[in-house]
Amino acid sequence: MNFNKRYIAARRAAIALDFKHLNSAQHEAVMTMSGPLLLLAGAGSGKTTVLINRIANLLNYGSGADSDFVPDYVTEDDLRFLEEYAASPTDEARLRVRDLCAVEPVKPWRIIAITFTNKAAGEMKERLEKMFGPTADAIWAMTFHSACARILRQEIERLGYDRSFTIYDKTDTSSLMKRILKDLDIEERNFPHKTVLGYISRAKDMMESAEEFMANAESTGDLRRKIIGRVYLEYSYRLKSANALDFDDLILLTVHLLREYPDVLAKYQERFDYVMIDEYQDTNNLQYLLASALSGGHNNICVVGDDDQSIYKFRGATIENILNFEKQFNDTKVLRLEQNYRSTGHILNAAGDVIKNNAGRKGKKLWTEKDLGEKPLHRITADEHAEAQFVADTIIDSISSNRKWQDHAVLYRMNAQSNRLETAFKRAGIPYRIYGGIGFYDRAEIKDMLSYLCVIHNPHDDLRLLRIINNPARGIGLTTIGRLTELAAESGKSVFGLIRDSQNYESLKSAAGKLHLFADMIDKLRCLADIAPHDELYDALLSATGYVRMLEEKKSDENITRLENVMELKSNIINFINSSGGTLFDFLSETFLYTDLDRDDNSSDRVLMMTMHSAKGLEFDTVFIVGAEEGVFPGIRAIGDHGEMEEERRLCYVAMTRAKRRLIFVSANSRMLFGKTSSSMSSRFLREISRENIDIHEQFSQYGHYDFGYSESLPKRTPPANSEFRTPNSATSSHPRPTIPHSEFRIPNSPTPPDFKKGDAIEHTVFGQGFITSVSPVGGDALLEIVFDNVGTKRILLNSAVRYLTKQ
């Protein structure tokens, strides 16, 4: 072997030692630096670890891992040193190794790593900072929307916008659309604002302007699309007039910039030597165009994704982006990450049984070094009440075996399914949390404060100005606000401009004094924003607007909480600016890019309940998939539609692979949804799981045996003696319950009926020892208030809790 070949091999071997902790597939991905790379990363396969280590390789060694370049200055001594190091590495030699092995190491600001959530971007930054310190801050590790917002802040003036543009989130766009529909006399019931926004979003994804949309609608004579076209035109006009962008605009306008201005395209293609994109299966058309444009300079694009986890078609994601990646980027190298570090063998095998039935996939088989573990369970219950009680009982049993509440997640296809589960959890005293509920930045008082800050930044932001013009009340009534919006629509002026000149308009003269006071307040705060520290500006805002005074004057628990939230926002602003070095208006931009997932609080120990879509990216010790029935999951709309059924099957695969140790499907013989009760057949996805990978337990019910459509007749199974699964002894009882006296309660049909009364010492399976402080009748049940030694006061319903209670 000649000198050059020996040197290249020794260099690669030396670099590889930095990543010896990775498995073979991960290692190959990290060592592939040049050209297009598609990483098909199965669930739980450590894709984030691969991305982090790939960036580390680029920063330390550049293209050294796969380059054929050999520097002129390399000597025989250098070669022997590298070969000796590869055979027996030492820490002392590492610095010289990096000098010898680096081939044009990449500057951090020449790497862009795009994720789908701020949470994922934050995790990436945190891990990189631990490895490289402050240097990592220069890497563009951010979401698509954040990256585009940064580019537009520099370049958007070419498109006729001001750099101080504001960003409208989903709440803002919904408010704007409702107002437009009202102004155009279009009935919301015939054209729901969310539906219209969906049409507009899809049009923008296909780069179809409002004018093009309208022209196409007129050419086809489609009356519905013509009406939506009118709305689209007005929506675009009002956004532009307010110098505002919605989320779709952030990417759309960036793509327009890169397409229409060659110098801008060249600038960013030259800027980014390496483009990396996570969750590529979730990208839409615009995101593909952006990725293609940014990577066109050096052709070094690496995308990570899993075609089996593409579940956001309803948001515009197109699985074709990942399926056709090799056709779109020539000379693509494809690697599969198939080793799973999350789930046990039986769970992975069952998930594989389901997903292999999809035709539109590239194919891979997950495996693990863990043991097979418990088989997934299919529990068949009488109805949705028994389903909820079974889930509650199973969680209680698990907690009594020293598991935590947060180890358990309940996944469902529709939000409506949470109703019975919440009732069962409340009755049993199980703490739970609906994942993706109202977040901090969704609260009305926070929206108000952010609207004030946005108007201080951009007074022509009509949407947010109208939110706060009479909040708190300033005597500017709905009639005046209506006149302002009408004049703005007629004149093309901003609402704030009309307020300043209100004395010149006959319809506004009577309110001109109050309007001028409002405008003067905003102008003074705008002046203060240029000279005062951010915390002082915020304090001045609270004082000048009278918002805090309003909350303090109307004493209530709700207003106390609202006041606490308003003050907490100040902490968020200060923390953001101190940590990022950005401005107050950088904070506003970042805030409106947050998603529900990013906002969620994971600090408390509670059972999590969520839709299957919300569960993507998460993992839990125990996962319940409820409502596993035809017409519920898969949904009725998917039955008979091949593409929709494949999407539902991918959703099932995602839900199954959230489980680390235990996976439990629950289906019901009959279920009431939306006021209608119907008999049910088990989900086809369960019937696709081979018998060696699932256990089926059917609960006795008044409906008798039910044929759930499995390909083989199922033997009647009962849980083993040491099973954690119980059949509720009272959930399906049809016996009437007796009237409950205030002082005590007797559970009906119990083999040894216990009497519970105020003052009794008791022990609960999960909560431990305590004593009853009150017993109150609640319908055919009793509400017990119990003070426990370890967890404080709990209020639980007796019928649900009696099996866990014993008298002392």
Side-chain angles (χ1 to χ4, degrees):
M1 183 183 297
N2 64 32
F3 178 88
N4 283 359
K5 287 184 177 180
R6 283 177 58 199
Y7 187 83
I8 292 168
R11 180 174 64 195
R12 182 174 176 84
I15 295 173
L17 289 173
D18 279 14
F19 310 105
K20 61 184 178 182
H21 58 287
L22 303 176
N23 67 41
S24 58
Q26 292 174 330
H27 193 274
E28 186 175 1
V30 168
M31 296 289 285
T32 302
M33 299 289 98
S34 305
L37 175 63
L38 170 59
L39 297 180
L40 294 173
S45 61
K47 63 183 179 65
T48 304
T49 296
V50 170
L51 284 174
I52 295 296
N53 282 275
R54 196 166 187 274
I55 292 172
N57 198 358
L58 289 170
L59 293 177
N60 287 328
Y61 301 108
S63 61
D66 60 1
S67 173
D68 292 334
F69 173 74
V70 177
D72 294 337
Y73 58 78
V74 176
T75 65
E76 284 283 353
D77 180 62
D78 292 330
L79 175 56
R80 284 194 298 272
F81 169 78
L82 281 182
E83 290 176 334
E84 289 171 2
Y85 176 84
S88 180
T90 62
D91 290 338
E92 295 79 8
R94 180 162 297 185
L95 187 60
R96 184 180 174 191
V97 167
R98 288 191 175 172
D99 287 340
L100 287 172
C101 294
V103 177
E104 297 182 347
V106 183
K107 302 298 183 184
W109 56 86
R110 298 180 74 91
I111 298 173
I112 182 169
I114 298 176
T115 67
F116 266 80
T117 68
N118 288 297
K119 181 180 178 182
E123 179 187 351
M124 184 179 292
K125 284 183 177 179
E126 184 178 343
R127 292 175 65 173
L128 286 168
E129 284 172 4
K130 286 181 180 178
M131 298 173 72
F132 294 98
T135 299
D137 290 341
I139 297 170
W140 281 42
M142 57 188 66
T143 65
F144 273 104
H145 294 110
S146 294
C148 289
R150 182 179 290 190
I151 292 171
L152 291 173
R153 289 290 180 203
Q154 299 298 317
E155 315 290 347
I156 200 170
E157 289 173 337
R158 295 175 184 245
L159 298 177
Y161 290 81
D162 189 87
R163 291 186 183 186
S164 64
F165 66 84
T166 52
I167 301 169
Y168 282 8
D169 64 10
K170 290 182 180 179
T171 303
D172 298 323
T173 55
S174 292
S175 298
L176 177 59
M177 182 54 67
K178 289 176 183 177
R179 185 171 294 118
I180 290 172
L181 292 173
K182 182 179 179 181
D183 292 346
L184 296 181
D185 292 324
I186 297 171
E187 289 286 343
E188 168 90 14
R189 63 187 176 186
N190 297 326
F191 292 85
H193 73 276
K194 289 184 179 179
T195 300
V196 178
L197 285 169
Y199 272 92
I200 293 173
S201 181
R202 287 188 291 274
K204 288 185 177 183
D205 185 44
M206 299 311 297
M207 299 192 72
E208 185 178 27
S209 68
E211 292 77 12
E212 291 167 335
F213 186 98
M214 191 66 178
N216 290 335
E218 289 177 341
S219 68
T220 60
D222 188 325
L223 179 60
R224 182 173 180 80
R225 290 182 69 87
K226 282 199 281 187
I227 293 173
I228 293 172
R230 282 179 57 211
V231 176
Y232 187 4
L233 284 165
E234 183 65 18
Y235 178 76
S236 299
Y237 170 76
R238 294 198 189 185
L239 280 175
K240 185 72 179 292
S241 298
N243 196 39
L245 310 181
D246 64 16
F247 278 8
D248 293 318
D249 289 331
L250 290 171
I251 304 179
L252 174 63
L253 295 185
T254 305
V255 171
H256 273 307
L257 268 171
L258 299 176
R259 284 189 159 195
E260 296 170 16
Y261 295 93
D263 60 319
V264 176
L265 176 63
K267 173 182 176 180
Y268 287 97
Q269 284 184 342
E270 177 62 26
R271 166 104 189 209
F272 299 121
D273 288 334
Y274 289 87
V275 176
M276 285 179 250
I277 302 174
D278 195 9
E279 303 288 4
Y280 193 68
Q281 77 280 347
D282 295 332
T283 54
N284 59 25
N285 179 59
L286 277 177
Q287 289 161 339
Y288 156 69
L289 293 174
L290 179 68
S292 178
L294 291 179
S295 62
H298 302 278
N299 207 32
N300 292 324
I301 180 170
C302 169
V303 302
V304 185
D306 184 359
D307 50 314
D308 291 334
Q309 296 189 71
S310 179
I311 60 172
Y312 293 124
K313 183 178 180 181
F314 68 96
R315 292 183 185 172
T318 171
I319 193 174
E320 285 75 17
N321 282 351
I322 194 167
L323 294 179
N324 297 329
F325 187 82
E326 298 108 306
K327 297 177 182 177
Q328 295 162 342
F329 296 90
N330 295 330
D331 301 320
T332 293
K333 183 173 184 177
V334 181
L335 297 174
R336 287 172 168 79
L337 305 181
E338 297 174 311
Q339 183 174 355
N340 178 281
Y341 293 93
R342 177 186 300 152
S343 307
T344 57
H346 273 312
I347 292 173
L348 293 181
N349 292 339
D353 286 342
V354 172
I355 199 62
K356 71 182 182 183
N357 290 280
N358 268 9
R361 62 190 295 257
K362 288 182 170 291
K364 60 186 163 310
K365 183 172 175 59
L366 297 185
W367 60 276
T368 181
E369 292 181 345
K370 296 182 178 181
D371 58 25
L372 286 172
E374 295 181 26
K375 289 184 181 182
L377 171 76
H378 176 200
R379 180 70 170 200
I380 304 166
T381 64
D383 55 26
E384 73 274 12
H385 300 280
E387 172 187 68
Q389 189 62 53
F390 164 72
V391 174
D393 287 345
T394 305
I395 291 173
I396 290 284
D397 285 343
S398 179
I399 295 297
S400 64
S401 301
N402 297 319
R403 298 284 171 183
K404 294 181 179 180
W405 300 112
Q406 64 191 14
D407 290 336
H408 306 83
V410 185
L411 312 184
Y412 36 77
R413 184 63 181 86
M414 298 176 286
N415 282 306
Q417 291 173 255
S418 72
N419 185 25
R420 298 300 178 192
L421 292 158
E422 289 189 70
T423 300
F425 286 4
K426 288 175 181 176
R427 293 173 68 92
I430 295 173
Y432 70 90
R433 184 160 58 96
I434 303 293
Y435 192 85
I438 296 178
F440 181 79
Y441 287 99
D442 288 322
R443 299 183 183 277
E445 61 273 17
I446 300 303
K447 286 283 188 184
D448 292 342
M449 290 298 99
L450 293 175
S451 292
Y452 270 112
L453 292 170
C454 284
V455 171
I456 291 169
H457 174 50
N458 174 16
H460 303 297
D461 186 341
D462 289 352
L463 182 70
R464 299 209 173 92
L465 185 146
L466 291 172
R467 180 186 180 97
I468 50 93
I469 189 173
N470 198 45
N471 183 16
R474 299 184 176 89
I476 302 173
L478 292 176
T479 300
T480 300
I481 293 173
R483 290 169 181 166
L484 282 168
T485 56
E486 289 173 6
L487 282 171
E490 292 170 4
S491 67
K493 294 183 178 181
S494 71
V495 171
F496 191 75
L498 292 169
I499 289 173
R500 278 179 168 154
D501 298 330
S502 52
Q503 74 280 359
N504 298 326
Y505 294 87
E506 191 62 33
S507 61
L508 298 176
K509 277 185 177 180
S510 61
K514 294 171 183 176
L515 293 173
H516 285 164
L517 287 175
F518 174 78
D520 290 342
M521 177 188 70
I522 297 298
D523 284 335
K524 288 175 182 176
L525 289 170
R526 283 173 58 80
C527 292
L528 188 63
D530 293 332
I531 58 174
H534 307 304
D535 54 343
E536 290 184 17
L537 171 65
Y538 191 74
D539 290 340
L541 165 63
L542 297 181
S543 175
T545 61
Y547 200 95
V548 167
R549 187 165 58 253
M550 173 190 71
L551 296 177
E552 289 175 338
E553 288 173 352
K554 299 176 182 178
K555 292 291 185 183
S556 68
D557 290 341
E558 180 182 0
N559 274 356
I560 290 172
T561 300
R562 294 179 68 193
L563 182 57
E564 290 172 349
N565 290 335
V566 167
M567 300 313 298
E568 184 60 19
L569 181 61
K570 179 180 176 181
S571 301
N572 292 5
I573 293 170
I574 293 171
N575 289 335
F576 173 85
I577 292 169
N578 288 345
S579 63
S580 69
T583 68
L584 177 61
F585 303 111
D586 291 330
F587 170 78
L588 291 173
S589 293
E590 290 297 320
T591 296
F592 290 115
L593 294 173
Y594 287 166
T595 66
D596 288 342
L597 187 62
D598 297 324
R599 299 178 197 137
D600 207 87
D601 173 20
N602 294 307
S603 60
S604 57
D605 185 16
R606 298 173 180 270
V607 175
L608 286 178
M609 299 169 62
M610 67 189 78
T611 64
M612 297 175 197
H613 283 97
S614 297
K616 189 168 180 294
L618 305 177
E619 60 181 40
F620 306 93
D621 175 85
T622 300
V623 169
F624 298 87
I625 299 176
V626 298
E629 302 135 26
E630 291 289 297
V632 178
F633 186 50
I636 192 70
R637 294 180 181 178
I639 297 174
D641 186 314
H642 176 74
E644 292 295 330
M645 187 58 70
E646 294 219 337
E647 179 103 348
E648 289 282 285
R649 190 173 282 110
R650 291 193 293 269
L651 185 58
C652 184
Y653 176 81
V654 167
M656 294 174 73
T657 53
R658 301 310 94 196
K660 296 194 286 187
R661 186 178 64 92
R662 296 174 69 200
L663 175 61
I664 304 163
F665 289 93
V666 195
S667 58
N669 285 4
S670 68
R671 180 178 302 276
M672 177 181 283
L673 269 178
F674 311 118
K676 181 181 179 182
T677 301
S678 57
S679 297
S680 308
M681 177 180 288
S682 68
S683 170
R684 69 188 66 198
F685 304 144
L686 286 163
R687 302 197 298 273
E688 291 170 353
I689 300 173
S690 60
R691 290 290 302 282
E692 59 266 23
N693 289 325
I694 194 167
D695 279 333
I696 302 99
H697 296 162
E698 183 174 1
Q699 178 184 20
F700 176 80
S701 75
Q702 59 181 316
Y703 302 103
H705 182 72
Y706 189 90
D707 180 7
F708 284 83
Y710 285 90
S711 56
E712 304 173 43
S713 60
L714 301 174
K716 196 73 174 179
R717 296 174 182 253
T718 56
N722 62 348
S723 173
E724 294 184 29
F725 303 105
R726 297 184 182 182
T727 299
N729 60 14
S730 63
T732 58
S733 172
S734 59
H735 297 280
R737 291 169 176 154
T739 303
I740 306 167
H742 284 271
S743 60
E744 61 180 344
F745 180 82
R746 182 178 293 252
I747 189 75
N749 305 316
S750 174
T752 54
D755 293 326
F756 292 102
K757 57 184 181 297
K758 181 177 179 180
D760 282 349
I762 55 91
E763 183 167 1
H764 188 282
T765 306
V766 173
F767 303 130
Q769 294 183 336
F771 64 92
I772 298 173
T773 57
S774 71
V775 180
S776 307
V778 180
D781 209 332
L783 179 67
L784 304 183
E785 185 173 279
I786 307 172
V787 177
F788 291 99
D789 295 343
N790 296 324
V791 296
T793 301
K794 292 278 186 181
R795 294 178 177 85
I796 54 181
L797 287 163
L798 184 56
N799 272 347
S800 295
V802 67
R803 72 206 67 190
Y804 310 117
L805 292 173
T806 55
K807 279 190 174 185
Q808 296 299 295

